[in-house]
Amino acid sequence: MEVEKIRLIIRKYISEQPRNSAEIATWLSDQEGYSGSLDLASLMETDTSIVRIGTVRKSGMTGSTPPLSEWATKEWVQHHERAKPDNK
């Protein structure tokens, strides 16, 4: 499966709600034609319509593994942004 097609289906998958890296990888591995040979974090970081919105801490886990990143589309973020308070 080519990179642009992977980006497109990831965008569709995260358009309704943010997902973490593990959820995206698991879902993507079930998609027909995906070989699993890509660095998904790099793929999503280079897509201008996908943003990293935070990290998911693994409760009770210790060790040097980094926390999972949480991803969303720019449209989702803009729609769910809090209104800025009026300063009078």
Side-chain angles (χ1 to χ4, degrees):
M1 188 181 297
E2 67 182 61
V3 173
E4 280 308 311
K5 185 172 181 182
I6 294 170
R7 282 189 179 123
L8 176 65
I9 64 173
I10 289 173
R11 273 186 239 128
K12 287 181 181 179
Y13 181 60
I14 64 174
S15 66
E16 293 183 22
Q17 73 179 47
R19 308 281 183 167
N20 69 48
S21 304
E23 290 175 304
I24 295 168
T26 301
W27 172 81
L28 196 55
S29 69
D30 292 337
Q31 302 305 303
E32 188 175 323
Y34 179 68
S35 65
S37 61
L38 294 172
D39 178 7
L40 290 179
S42 294
L43 180 93
M44 291 185 284
E45 286 173 346
T46 58
D47 189 325
T48 58
S49 63
I50 297 175
V51 293
R52 184 188 318 247
I53 60 171
T55 56
V56 178
R57 301 285 178 199
K58 295 173 245 161
S59 177
M61 300 295 287
T62 59
S64 61
T65 58
L68 297 171
S69 294
E70 192 165 14
W71 304 89
T73 60
K74 280 188 176 181
E75 291 80 18
W76 187 93
V77 171
Q78 289 170 348
H79 180 73
H80 290 87
E81 275 184 325
R82 292 183 178 154
K84 293 187 171 86
D86 291 333
N87 292 333
K88 294 183 179 185

